[in-house]
Amino acid sequence: DGGITQSPKYLFRKEGQNVTLSCEQNLNHDAMYWYRQDPGQGLRLIYYSQIVNDFQKGDIAEGYSVSREKKESFPLTVTSAQKNPTAFYLCASSIAKRNTIYFGEGSWLTVV
Amino acid sequence: KQEVTQIPAALSVPEGENLVLNCSFTDSAIYNLQWFRQDPGKGLTSLLLIQSSQREQTSGRLNASLDKSSGRSTLYIAASQPGDSATYLCAVPDNYGQNFVFGPGTRLSVLP
């Protein structure tokens, strides 16, 4: 089945560690996105990519990094510079800008 | 800068009622508008997409309307069921068409 796969579903990070969240899509979509959702709050854009080897910062990019080496993959690294990383992270994709956007099931990150 | 709001923040209704969820956006020059459903701890599921040239879009018991001039969209749910309980979000492309601006959502509870 076509879709977006995020892994892991649950991740625990120690202070000072970098962690990477995986996002893979087999929808042949050009655009991919990472959002952060805090409990009871809306979605905030971290990074987005409209094409391979190119990505742009969103509203809250500080402390995060991404890469887009392949069309189907858009991993997000949460670095130690992100002081409050505990949140629900959502990856999404769309065939082109302004088209229907599809989401993965999300990843929970907790700092321990 | 495009902003999206949703009223009410939460809604509780008895099973069988028809209900309306509201979405407002500040810049009427939108390309389209999408409605999503989010179950607790899950990703977003696309429900309906309305193009700027459309007034309504229907899927089963769901009907979404769009009034660009007033900056409003409504999601009508007919004969609500407990399984409709979820958070409903709306989103529009941002002014540059590079990503999407989401509303904070309406948390719906349908009581048996």
Side-chain angles (χ1 to χ4, degrees), chain A residues 9 33 35 37 45 48 50 88 90 97-101 103-105 108, chain B residues 31-32 34 36 38 41-44 46 49 89 93 97-100 102:
Chain A
K9 178 68 175 178
Y33 312 83
Y35 290 91
Q37 188 175 38
L45 181 67
Y48 63 98
Q50 298 288 346
F88 188 50
L90 286 161
K97 56 186 180 181
R98 300 195 183 104
N99 278 64
T100 302
I101 182 170
F103 283 82
E105 284 295 294
W108 290 94
Chain B
Y31 191 77
N32 55 42
Q34 297 182 47
F36 298 86
Q38 185 178 29
K42 301 287 188 179
L44 279 68
S46 180
L49 181 145
L89 299 93
Q98 295 294 319
N99 56 72
F100 300 85
F102 286 82

PDB file of all heavy atoms in Angstrom, chain A residues 9 33 35 37 45 48 50 88 90 97-101 103-105 108, chain B residues 31-32 34 36 38 41-44 46 49 89 93 97-100 102:
ATOM      1  N   LYS A   9       8.028   4.830  16.420  1.00  0.00           N
ATOM      2  CA  LYS A   9       6.798   5.425  16.931  1.00  0.00           C
ATOM      3  C   LYS A   9       7.081   6.144  18.245  1.00  0.00           C
ATOM      4  O   LYS A   9       6.523   7.212  18.506  1.00  0.00           O
ATOM      5  CB  LYS A   9       5.745   4.335  17.150  1.00  0.00           C
ATOM      6  CG  LYS A   9       4.427   4.848  17.725  1.00  0.00           C
ATOM      7  CD  LYS A   9       3.684   5.730  16.741  1.00  0.00           C
ATOM      8  CE  LYS A   9       2.327   6.128  17.301  1.00  0.00           C
ATOM      9  NZ  LYS A   9       1.592   7.033  16.381  1.00  0.00           N
ATOM     10  N   TYR A  33       7.424  17.354   4.327  1.00  0.00           N
ATOM     11  CA  TYR A  33       7.346  18.330   5.412  1.00  0.00           C
ATOM     12  C   TYR A  33       7.549  17.648   6.763  1.00  0.00           C
ATOM     13  O   TYR A  33       7.188  16.486   6.929  1.00  0.00           O
ATOM     14  CB  TYR A  33       5.963  19.006   5.433  1.00  0.00           C
ATOM     15  CG  TYR A  33       5.469  19.504   4.102  1.00  0.00           C
ATOM     16  CD1 TYR A  33       4.843  18.647   3.209  1.00  0.00           C
ATOM     17  CD2 TYR A  33       5.606  20.837   3.744  1.00  0.00           C
ATOM     18  CE1 TYR A  33       4.380  19.095   1.981  1.00  0.00           C
ATOM     19  CE2 TYR A  33       5.146  21.313   2.523  1.00  0.00           C
ATOM     20  CZ  TYR A  33       4.532  20.433   1.644  1.00  0.00           C
ATOM     21  OH  TYR A  33       4.080  20.892   0.427  1.00  0.00           O
ATOM     22  N   TYR A  35       6.450  18.515  10.789  1.00  0.00           N
ATOM     23  CA  TYR A  35       5.719  19.369  11.706  1.00  0.00           C
ATOM     24  C   TYR A  35       5.945  18.878  13.130  1.00  0.00           C
ATOM     25  O   TYR A  35       6.135  17.685  13.368  1.00  0.00           O
ATOM     26  CB  TYR A  35       4.220  19.340  11.417  1.00  0.00           C
ATOM     27  CG  TYR A  35       3.820  20.014  10.138  1.00  0.00           C
ATOM     28  CD1 TYR A  35       3.750  19.298   8.944  1.00  0.00           C
ATOM     29  CD2 TYR A  35       3.491  21.361  10.112  1.00  0.00           C
ATOM     30  CE1 TYR A  35       3.375  19.912   7.764  1.00  0.00           C
ATOM     31  CE2 TYR A  35       3.119  21.984   8.930  1.00  0.00           C
ATOM     32  CZ  TYR A  35       3.060  21.255   7.764  1.00  0.00           C
ATOM     33  OH  TYR A  35       2.699  21.861   6.599  1.00  0.00           O
ATOM     34  N   GLN A  37       3.974  18.937  16.916  1.00  0.00           N
ATOM     35  CA  GLN A  37       2.690  19.190  17.571  1.00  0.00           C
ATOM     36  C   GLN A  37       2.880  18.982  19.073  1.00  0.00           C
ATOM     37  O   GLN A  37       3.247  17.902  19.516  1.00  0.00           O
ATOM     38  CB  GLN A  37       1.599  18.258  17.023  1.00  0.00           C
ATOM     39  CG  GLN A  37       0.207  18.593  17.526  1.00  0.00           C
ATOM     40  CD  GLN A  37      -0.846  17.726  16.871  1.00  0.00           C
ATOM     41  OE1 GLN A  37      -0.637  16.541  16.622  1.00  0.00           O
ATOM     42  NE2 GLN A  37      -2.010  18.316  16.577  1.00  0.00           N
ATOM     43  N   LEU A  45       5.520  24.202  11.618  1.00  0.00           N
ATOM     44  CA  LEU A  45       6.394  23.696  10.566  1.00  0.00           C
ATOM     45  C   LEU A  45       7.852  23.806  10.962  1.00  0.00           C
ATOM     46  O   LEU A  45       8.321  24.887  11.343  1.00  0.00           O
ATOM     47  CB  LEU A  45       6.142  24.472   9.273  1.00  0.00           C
ATOM     48  CG  LEU A  45       6.947  24.051   8.063  1.00  0.00           C
ATOM     49  CD1 LEU A  45       6.541  22.651   7.599  1.00  0.00           C
ATOM     50  CD2 LEU A  45       6.747  25.053   6.932  1.00  0.00           C
ATOM     51  N   TYR A  48      10.770  21.990   5.363  1.00  0.00           N
ATOM     52  CA  TYR A  48      10.080  21.416   4.223  1.00  0.00           C
ATOM     53  C   TYR A  48      11.030  21.336   3.039  1.00  0.00           C
ATOM     54  O   TYR A  48      12.036  22.065   2.975  1.00  0.00           O
ATOM     55  CB  TYR A  48       8.812  22.190   3.860  1.00  0.00           C
ATOM     56  CG  TYR A  48       9.026  23.618   3.431  1.00  0.00           C
ATOM     57  CD1 TYR A  48       9.063  23.970   2.086  1.00  0.00           C
ATOM     58  CD2 TYR A  48       9.154  24.633   4.391  1.00  0.00           C
ATOM     59  CE1 TYR A  48       9.230  25.287   1.692  1.00  0.00           C
ATOM     60  CE2 TYR A  48       9.323  25.954   3.995  1.00  0.00           C
ATOM     61  CZ  TYR A  48       9.359  26.275   2.657  1.00  0.00           C
ATOM     62  OH  TYR A  48       9.533  27.580   2.272  1.00  0.00           O
ATOM     63  N   GLN A  50      10.841  20.837  -1.308  1.00  0.00           N
ATOM     64  CA  GLN A  50      10.020  20.750  -2.520  1.00  0.00           C
ATOM     65  C   GLN A  50      10.672  19.854  -3.575  1.00  0.00           C
ATOM     66  O   GLN A  50      10.016  19.455  -4.544  1.00  0.00           O
ATOM     67  CB  GLN A  50       9.781  22.138  -3.106  1.00  0.00           C
ATOM     68  CG  GLN A  50       9.007  23.090  -2.186  1.00  0.00           C
ATOM     69  CD  GLN A  50       7.546  22.715  -2.067  1.00  0.00           C
ATOM     70  OE1 GLN A  50       7.024  21.932  -2.839  1.00  0.00           O
ATOM     71  NE2 GLN A  50       6.866  23.280  -1.068  1.00  0.00           N
ATOM     72  N   PHE A  88       5.235  15.565  19.714  1.00  0.00           N
ATOM     73  CA  PHE A  88       4.769  14.625  18.702  1.00  0.00           C
ATOM     74  C   PHE A  88       5.210  15.181  17.345  1.00  0.00           C
ATOM     75  O   PHE A  88       4.929  16.332  17.029  1.00  0.00           O
ATOM     76  CB  PHE A  88       3.241  14.521  18.794  1.00  0.00           C
ATOM     77  CG  PHE A  88       2.627  13.452  17.945  1.00  0.00           C
ATOM     78  CD1 PHE A  88       3.101  12.155  17.961  1.00  0.00           C
ATOM     79  CD2 PHE A  88       1.513  13.736  17.152  1.00  0.00           C
ATOM     80  CE1 PHE A  88       2.514  11.156  17.196  1.00  0.00           C
ATOM     81  CE2 PHE A  88       0.914  12.747  16.386  1.00  0.00           C
ATOM     82  CZ  PHE A  88       1.415  11.458  16.405  1.00  0.00           C
ATOM     83  N   LEU A  90       5.326  14.962  13.194  1.00  0.00           N
ATOM     84  CA  LEU A  90       4.564  14.463  12.052  1.00  0.00           C
ATOM     85  C   LEU A  90       5.286  14.775  10.752  1.00  0.00           C
ATOM     86  O   LEU A  90       5.702  15.906  10.507  1.00  0.00           O
ATOM     87  CB  LEU A  90       3.181  15.118  12.026  1.00  0.00           C
ATOM     88  CG  LEU A  90       2.200  14.628  13.076  1.00  0.00           C
ATOM     89  CD1 LEU A  90       1.080  15.630  13.272  1.00  0.00           C
ATOM     90  CD2 LEU A  90       1.627  13.276  12.686  1.00  0.00           C
ATOM     91  N   LYS A  97       3.345  21.469  -4.524  1.00  0.00           N
ATOM     92  CA  LYS A  97       2.875  22.473  -3.587  1.00  0.00           C
ATOM     93  C   LYS A  97       1.409  22.781  -3.866  1.00  0.00           C
ATOM     94  O   LYS A  97       0.938  22.717  -4.988  1.00  0.00           O
ATOM     95  CB  LYS A  97       3.720  23.735  -3.669  1.00  0.00           C
ATOM     96  CG  LYS A  97       3.820  24.361  -5.037  1.00  0.00           C
ATOM     97  CD  LYS A  97       4.800  25.524  -4.990  1.00  0.00           C
ATOM     98  CE  LYS A  97       4.939  26.180  -6.354  1.00  0.00           C
ATOM     99  NZ  LYS A  97       5.913  27.299  -6.333  1.00  0.00           N
ATOM    100  N   ARG A  98       0.694  23.023  -2.836  1.00  0.00           N
ATOM    101  CA  ARG A  98      -0.725  23.375  -2.831  1.00  0.00           C
ATOM    102  C   ARG A  98      -1.655  22.178  -3.048  1.00  0.00           C
ATOM    103  O   ARG A  98      -2.856  22.316  -3.026  1.00  0.00           O
ATOM    104  CB  ARG A  98      -1.060  24.440  -3.883  1.00  0.00           C
ATOM    105  CG  ARG A  98      -0.322  25.749  -3.701  1.00  0.00           C
ATOM    106  CD  ARG A  98      -0.989  26.809  -4.529  1.00  0.00           C
ATOM    107  NE  ARG A  98      -0.292  28.084  -4.447  1.00  0.00           N
ATOM    108  CZ  ARG A  98       0.484  28.571  -5.403  1.00  0.00           C
ATOM    109  NH1 ARG A  98       0.651  27.882  -6.513  1.00  0.00           N
ATOM    110  NH2 ARG A  98       1.081  29.729  -5.255  1.00  0.00           N
ATOM    111  N   ASN A  99      -1.123  20.985  -3.293  1.00  0.00           N
ATOM    112  CA  ASN A  99      -1.987  19.821  -3.460  1.00  0.00           C
ATOM    113  C   ASN A  99      -2.310  19.178  -2.117  1.00  0.00           C
ATOM    114  O   ASN A  99      -1.768  19.559  -1.082  1.00  0.00           O
ATOM    115  CB  ASN A  99      -1.325  18.799  -4.379  1.00  0.00           C
ATOM    116  CG  ASN A  99      -1.516  19.149  -5.835  1.00  0.00           C
ATOM    117  OD1 ASN A  99      -1.027  20.163  -6.281  1.00  0.00           O
ATOM    118  ND2 ASN A  99      -2.239  18.329  -6.559  1.00  0.00           N
ATOM    119  N   THR A 100      -3.170  18.165  -2.152  1.00  0.00           N
ATOM    120  CA  THR A 100      -3.540  17.439  -0.942  1.00  0.00           C
ATOM    121  C   THR A 100      -2.286  16.982  -0.217  1.00  0.00           C
ATOM    122  O   THR A 100      -1.356  16.457  -0.822  1.00  0.00           O
ATOM    123  CB  THR A 100      -4.407  16.233  -1.289  1.00  0.00           C
ATOM    124  OG1 THR A 100      -5.572  16.680  -1.984  1.00  0.00           O
ATOM    125  CG2 THR A 100      -4.841  15.501  -0.025  1.00  0.00           C
ATOM    126  N   ILE A 101      -2.281  17.164   1.080  1.00  0.00           N
ATOM    127  CA  ILE A 101      -1.129  16.784   1.900  1.00  0.00           C
ATOM    128  C   ILE A 101      -1.499  15.554   2.711  1.00  0.00           C
ATOM    129  O   ILE A 101      -2.587  15.458   3.263  1.00  0.00           O
ATOM    130  CB  ILE A 101      -0.682  17.960   2.793  1.00  0.00           C
ATOM    131  CG1 ILE A 101       0.557  17.596   3.616  1.00  0.00           C
ATOM    132  CG2 ILE A 101      -1.804  18.463   3.690  1.00  0.00           C
ATOM    133  CD1 ILE A 101       1.191  18.785   4.322  1.00  0.00           C
ATOM    134  N   PHE A 103      -0.274  12.571   5.673  1.00  0.00           N
ATOM    135  CA  PHE A 103       0.554  12.493   6.871  1.00  0.00           C
ATOM    136  C   PHE A 103       0.905  11.058   7.229  1.00  0.00           C
ATOM    137  O   PHE A 103       0.154  10.123   6.938  1.00  0.00           O
ATOM    138  CB  PHE A 103      -0.187  13.120   8.053  1.00  0.00           C
ATOM    139  CG  PHE A 103      -0.174  14.615   8.050  1.00  0.00           C
ATOM    140  CD1 PHE A 103      -1.083  15.325   7.285  1.00  0.00           C
ATOM    141  CD2 PHE A 103       0.757  15.313   8.801  1.00  0.00           C
ATOM    142  CE1 PHE A 103      -1.067  16.711   7.267  1.00  0.00           C
ATOM    143  CE2 PHE A 103       0.780  16.696   8.796  1.00  0.00           C
ATOM    144  CZ  PHE A 103      -0.136  17.397   8.027  1.00  0.00           C
ATOM    145  N   GLY A 104       2.049  10.917   7.892  1.00  0.00           N
ATOM    146  CA  GLY A 104       2.393   9.659   8.536  1.00  0.00           C
ATOM    147  C   GLY A 104       1.702   9.555   9.875  1.00  0.00           C
ATOM    148  O   GLY A 104       0.940  10.449  10.277  1.00  0.00           O
ATOM    149  N   GLU A 105       1.975   8.458  10.602  1.00  0.00           N
ATOM    150  CA  GLU A 105       1.315   8.207  11.869  1.00  0.00           C
ATOM    151  C   GLU A 105       1.963   8.937  13.034  1.00  0.00           C
ATOM    152  O   GLU A 105       1.450   8.917  14.139  1.00  0.00           O
ATOM    153  CB  GLU A 105       1.291   6.707  12.156  1.00  0.00           C
ATOM    154  CG  GLU A 105       0.249   5.957  11.345  1.00  0.00           C
ATOM    155  CD  GLU A 105      -1.156   6.388  11.716  1.00  0.00           C
ATOM    156  OE1 GLU A 105      -1.581   6.134  12.863  1.00  0.00           O
ATOM    157  OE2 GLU A 105      -1.844   6.983  10.850  1.00  0.00           O
ATOM    158  N   TRP A 108       6.572   9.936  18.659  1.00  0.00           N
ATOM    159  CA  TRP A 108       6.622  10.605  19.957  1.00  0.00           C
ATOM    160  C   TRP A 108       8.074  10.642  20.426  1.00  0.00           C
ATOM    161  O   TRP A 108       8.726   9.607  20.509  1.00  0.00           O
ATOM    162  CB  TRP A 108       5.789   9.847  20.997  1.00  0.00           C
ATOM    163  CG  TRP A 108       4.324   9.913  20.796  1.00  0.00           C
ATOM    164  CD1 TRP A 108       3.534   9.026  20.131  1.00  0.00           C
ATOM    165  CD2 TRP A 108       3.449  10.935  21.277  1.00  0.00           C
ATOM    166  NE1 TRP A 108       2.220   9.427  20.167  1.00  0.00           N
ATOM    167  CE2 TRP A 108       2.131  10.595  20.868  1.00  0.00           C
ATOM    168  CE3 TRP A 108       3.642  12.106  22.019  1.00  0.00           C
ATOM    169  CZ2 TRP A 108       1.026  11.389  21.168  1.00  0.00           C
ATOM    170  CZ3 TRP A 108       2.536  12.890  22.318  1.00  0.00           C
ATOM    171  CH2 TRP A 108       1.254  12.533  21.902  1.00  0.00           C
TER     172      TRP A 108
ATOM    173  N   TYR B  31      -5.629  29.101  -2.560  1.00  0.00           N
ATOM    174  CA  TYR B  31      -5.650  28.211  -3.723  1.00  0.00           C
ATOM    175  C   TYR B  31      -6.634  27.081  -3.493  1.00  0.00           C
ATOM    176  O   TYR B  31      -7.330  26.625  -4.390  1.00  0.00           O
ATOM    177  CB  TYR B  31      -4.243  27.659  -3.936  1.00  0.00           C
ATOM    178  CG  TYR B  31      -4.040  26.946  -5.232  1.00  0.00           C
ATOM    179  CD1 TYR B  31      -3.884  27.639  -6.422  1.00  0.00           C
ATOM    180  CD2 TYR B  31      -3.977  25.556  -5.268  1.00  0.00           C
ATOM    181  CE1 TYR B  31      -3.682  26.980  -7.616  1.00  0.00           C
ATOM    182  CE2 TYR B  31      -3.770  24.885  -6.452  1.00  0.00           C
ATOM    183  CZ  TYR B  31      -3.622  25.601  -7.624  1.00  0.00           C
ATOM    184  OH  TYR B  31      -3.421  24.938  -8.801  1.00  0.00           O
ATOM    185  N   ASN B  32      -6.675  26.573  -2.244  1.00  0.00           N
ATOM    186  CA  ASN B  32      -7.626  25.548  -1.853  1.00  0.00           C
ATOM    187  C   ASN B  32      -7.692  25.502  -0.334  1.00  0.00           C
ATOM    188  O   ASN B  32      -6.968  26.238   0.356  1.00  0.00           O
ATOM    189  CB  ASN B  32      -7.267  24.171  -2.430  1.00  0.00           C
ATOM    190  CG  ASN B  32      -5.858  23.725  -2.066  1.00  0.00           C
ATOM    191  OD1 ASN B  32      -5.422  23.903  -0.931  1.00  0.00           O
ATOM    192  ND2 ASN B  32      -5.151  23.134  -3.011  1.00  0.00           N
ATOM    193  N   GLN B  34      -8.235  22.483   2.926  1.00  0.00           N
ATOM    194  CA  GLN B  34      -8.391  21.072   3.258  1.00  0.00           C
ATOM    195  C   GLN B  34      -8.917  20.930   4.676  1.00  0.00           C
ATOM    196  O   GLN B  34      -8.548  21.701   5.565  1.00  0.00           O
ATOM    197  CB  GLN B  34      -7.045  20.343   3.163  1.00  0.00           C
ATOM    198  CG  GLN B  34      -6.455  20.345   1.775  1.00  0.00           C
ATOM    199  CD  GLN B  34      -5.153  19.564   1.715  1.00  0.00           C
ATOM    200  OE1 GLN B  34      -5.073  18.454   2.227  1.00  0.00           O
ATOM    201  NE2 GLN B  34      -4.143  20.132   1.094  1.00  0.00           N
ATOM    202  N   PHE B  36      -9.133  18.023   7.801  1.00  0.00           N
ATOM    203  CA  PHE B  36      -8.486  16.808   8.268  1.00  0.00           C
ATOM    204  C   PHE B  36      -9.157  16.334   9.549  1.00  0.00           C
ATOM    205  O   PHE B  36      -9.747  17.113  10.297  1.00  0.00           O
ATOM    206  CB  PHE B  36      -7.004  17.053   8.595  1.00  0.00           C
ATOM    207  CG  PHE B  36      -6.184  17.483   7.425  1.00  0.00           C
ATOM    208  CD1 PHE B  36      -6.099  18.823   7.077  1.00  0.00           C
ATOM    209  CD2 PHE B  36      -5.478  16.563   6.681  1.00  0.00           C
ATOM    210  CE1 PHE B  36      -5.336  19.234   6.006  1.00  0.00           C
ATOM    211  CE2 PHE B  36      -4.697  16.962   5.609  1.00  0.00           C
ATOM    212  CZ  PHE B  36      -4.628  18.304   5.272  1.00  0.00           C
ATOM    213  N   GLN B  38      -7.996  14.112  13.079  1.00  0.00           N
ATOM    214  CA  GLN B  38      -6.881  13.546  13.827  1.00  0.00           C
ATOM    215  C   GLN B  38      -7.409  12.831  15.059  1.00  0.00           C
ATOM    216  O   GLN B  38      -8.042  13.438  15.921  1.00  0.00           O
ATOM    217  CB  GLN B  38      -5.868  14.616  14.249  1.00  0.00           C
ATOM    218  CG  GLN B  38      -4.633  14.027  14.926  1.00  0.00           C
ATOM    219  CD  GLN B  38      -3.599  15.064  15.319  1.00  0.00           C
ATOM    220  OE1 GLN B  38      -3.924  16.214  15.594  1.00  0.00           O
ATOM    221  NE2 GLN B  38      -2.327  14.660  15.346  1.00  0.00           N
ATOM    222  N   GLY B  41      -3.145  10.766  19.355  1.00  0.00           N
ATOM    223  CA  GLY B  41      -1.879  10.075  19.170  1.00  0.00           C
ATOM    224  C   GLY B  41      -1.631   9.570  17.762  1.00  0.00           C
ATOM    225  O   GLY B  41      -0.717   8.753  17.547  1.00  0.00           O
ATOM    226  N   LYS B  42      -2.424  10.042  16.805  1.00  0.00           N
ATOM    227  CA  LYS B  42      -2.284   9.578  15.426  1.00  0.00           C
ATOM    228  C   LYS B  42      -1.967  10.735  14.491  1.00  0.00           C
ATOM    229  O   LYS B  42      -2.035  11.899  14.866  1.00  0.00           O
ATOM    230  CB  LYS B  42      -3.599   8.919  14.963  1.00  0.00           C
ATOM    231  CG  LYS B  42      -4.049   7.740  15.794  1.00  0.00           C
ATOM    232  CD  LYS B  42      -3.191   6.525  15.533  1.00  0.00           C
ATOM    233  CE  LYS B  42      -3.771   5.302  16.222  1.00  0.00           C
ATOM    234  NZ  LYS B  42      -2.960   4.091  15.959  1.00  0.00           N
ATOM    235  N   GLY B  43      -1.624  10.390  13.258  1.00  0.00           N
ATOM    236  CA  GLY B  43      -1.424  11.421  12.251  1.00  0.00           C
ATOM    237  C   GLY B  43      -2.752  11.980  11.758  1.00  0.00           C
ATOM    238  O   GLY B  43      -3.813  11.562  12.200  1.00  0.00           O
ATOM    239  N   LEU B  44      -2.663  12.942  10.827  1.00  0.00           N
ATOM    240  CA  LEU B  44      -3.858  13.552  10.262  1.00  0.00           C
ATOM    241  C   LEU B  44      -4.321  12.773   9.044  1.00  0.00           C
ATOM    242  O   LEU B  44      -3.498  12.342   8.224  1.00  0.00           O
ATOM    243  CB  LEU B  44      -3.573  14.990   9.846  1.00  0.00           C
ATOM    244  CG  LEU B  44      -3.597  16.061  10.928  1.00  0.00           C
ATOM    245  CD1 LEU B  44      -2.452  15.902  11.909  1.00  0.00           C
ATOM    246  CD2 LEU B  44      -3.565  17.451  10.288  1.00  0.00           C
ATOM    247  N   SER B  46      -6.697  13.127   5.677  1.00  0.00           N
ATOM    248  CA  SER B  46      -7.382  14.105   4.833  1.00  0.00           C
ATOM    249  C   SER B  46      -8.831  13.676   4.617  1.00  0.00           C
ATOM    250  O   SER B  46      -9.115  12.528   4.271  1.00  0.00           O
ATOM    251  CB  SER B  46      -6.665  14.221   3.493  1.00  0.00           C
ATOM    252  OG  SER B  46      -7.305  15.172   2.657  1.00  0.00           O
ATOM    253  N   LEU B  49     -10.893  18.169   0.228  1.00  0.00           N
ATOM    254  CA  LEU B  49     -10.141  19.299  -0.305  1.00  0.00           C
ATOM    255  C   LEU B  49     -11.078  20.088  -1.200  1.00  0.00           C
ATOM    256  O   LEU B  49     -11.723  19.511  -2.096  1.00  0.00           O
ATOM    257  CB  LEU B  49      -8.920  18.826  -1.095  1.00  0.00           C
ATOM    258  CG  LEU B  49      -8.033  19.938  -1.698  1.00  0.00           C
ATOM    259  CD1 LEU B  49      -6.577  19.542  -1.684  1.00  0.00           C
ATOM    260  CD2 LEU B  49      -8.468  20.269  -3.123  1.00  0.00           C
ATOM    261  N   LEU B  89      -9.199  19.534  11.859  1.00  0.00           N
ATOM    262  CA  LEU B  89      -8.362  20.677  11.527  1.00  0.00           C
ATOM    263  C   LEU B  89      -8.601  21.095  10.082  1.00  0.00           C
ATOM    264  O   LEU B  89      -8.900  20.265   9.222  1.00  0.00           O
ATOM    265  CB  LEU B  89      -6.880  20.344  11.684  1.00  0.00           C
ATOM    266  CG  LEU B  89      -6.378  19.943  13.072  1.00  0.00           C
ATOM    267  CD1 LEU B  89      -6.404  18.432  13.249  1.00  0.00           C
ATOM    268  CD2 LEU B  89      -4.963  20.448  13.309  1.00  0.00           C
ATOM    269  N   PRO B  93      -2.935  26.585   1.839  1.00  0.00           N
ATOM    270  CA  PRO B  93      -1.542  26.856   1.446  1.00  0.00           C
ATOM    271  C   PRO B  93      -1.149  28.253   1.917  1.00  0.00           C
ATOM    272  O   PRO B  93      -1.993  29.156   1.964  1.00  0.00           O
ATOM    273  CB  PRO B  93      -1.584  26.783  -0.082  1.00  0.00           C
ATOM    274  CG  PRO B  93      -2.802  25.980  -0.391  1.00  0.00           C
ATOM    275  CD  PRO B  93      -3.784  26.319   0.684  1.00  0.00           C
ATOM    276  N   GLY B  97       2.675  29.496  -1.375  1.00  0.00           N
ATOM    277  CA  GLY B  97       2.399  28.169  -1.906  1.00  0.00           C
ATOM    278  C   GLY B  97       3.461  27.151  -1.592  1.00  0.00           C
ATOM    279  O   GLY B  97       3.543  26.107  -2.234  1.00  0.00           O
ATOM    280  N   GLN B  98       4.314  27.449  -0.624  1.00  0.00           N
ATOM    281  CA  GLN B  98       5.417  26.538  -0.303  1.00  0.00           C
ATOM    282  C   GLN B  98       5.031  25.515   0.751  1.00  0.00           C
ATOM    283  O   GLN B  98       5.575  24.423   0.788  1.00  0.00           O
ATOM    284  CB  GLN B  98       6.624  27.342   0.191  1.00  0.00           C
ATOM    285  CG  GLN B  98       7.221  28.246  -0.869  1.00  0.00           C
ATOM    286  CD  GLN B  98       7.826  27.466  -2.010  1.00  0.00           C
ATOM    287  OE1 GLN B  98       8.473  26.443  -1.816  1.00  0.00           O
ATOM    288  NE2 GLN B  98       7.576  27.922  -3.233  1.00  0.00           N
ATOM    289  N   ASN B  99       4.155  25.884   1.647  1.00  0.00           N
ATOM    290  CA  ASN B  99       3.709  24.924   2.654  1.00  0.00           C
ATOM    291  C   ASN B  99       2.290  25.281   3.072  1.00  0.00           C
ATOM    292  O   ASN B  99       1.595  25.993   2.331  1.00  0.00           O
ATOM    293  CB  ASN B  99       4.673  24.906   3.836  1.00  0.00           C
ATOM    294  CG  ASN B  99       4.861  26.267   4.452  1.00  0.00           C
ATOM    295  OD1 ASN B  99       3.957  26.767   5.106  1.00  0.00           O
ATOM    296  ND2 ASN B  99       6.003  26.892   4.236  1.00  0.00           N
ATOM    297  N   PHE B 100       1.842  24.758   4.202  1.00  0.00           N
ATOM    298  CA  PHE B 100       0.441  24.871   4.604  1.00  0.00           C
ATOM    299  C   PHE B 100       0.337  25.522   5.977  1.00  0.00           C
ATOM    300  O   PHE B 100       1.195  25.325   6.833  1.00  0.00           O
ATOM    301  CB  PHE B 100      -0.207  23.480   4.639  1.00  0.00           C
ATOM    302  CG  PHE B 100      -0.187  22.774   3.308  1.00  0.00           C
ATOM    303  CD1 PHE B 100       0.916  22.049   2.909  1.00  0.00           C
ATOM    304  CD2 PHE B 100      -1.272  22.859   2.448  1.00  0.00           C
ATOM    305  CE1 PHE B 100       0.956  21.417   1.677  1.00  0.00           C
ATOM    306  CE2 PHE B 100      -1.253  22.227   1.224  1.00  0.00           C
ATOM    307  CZ  PHE B 100      -0.138  21.506   0.830  1.00  0.00           C
ATOM    308  N   PHE B 102      -2.055  25.647   9.251  1.00  0.00           N
ATOM    309  CA  PHE B 102      -3.101  24.860   9.893  1.00  0.00           C
ATOM    310  C   PHE B 102      -3.809  25.661  10.974  1.00  0.00           C
ATOM    311  O   PHE B 102      -3.191  26.484  11.662  1.00  0.00           O
ATOM    312  CB  PHE B 102      -2.496  23.609  10.539  1.00  0.00           C
ATOM    313  CG  PHE B 102      -2.102  22.554   9.552  1.00  0.00           C
ATOM    314  CD1 PHE B 102      -0.890  22.643   8.880  1.00  0.00           C
ATOM    315  CD2 PHE B 102      -2.943  21.495   9.282  1.00  0.00           C
ATOM    316  CE1 PHE B 102      -0.520  21.679   7.949  1.00  0.00           C
ATOM    317  CE2 PHE B 102      -2.585  20.524   8.359  1.00  0.00           C
ATOM    318  CZ  PHE B 102      -1.373  20.626   7.694  1.00  0.00           C
TER     319      PHE B 102
END
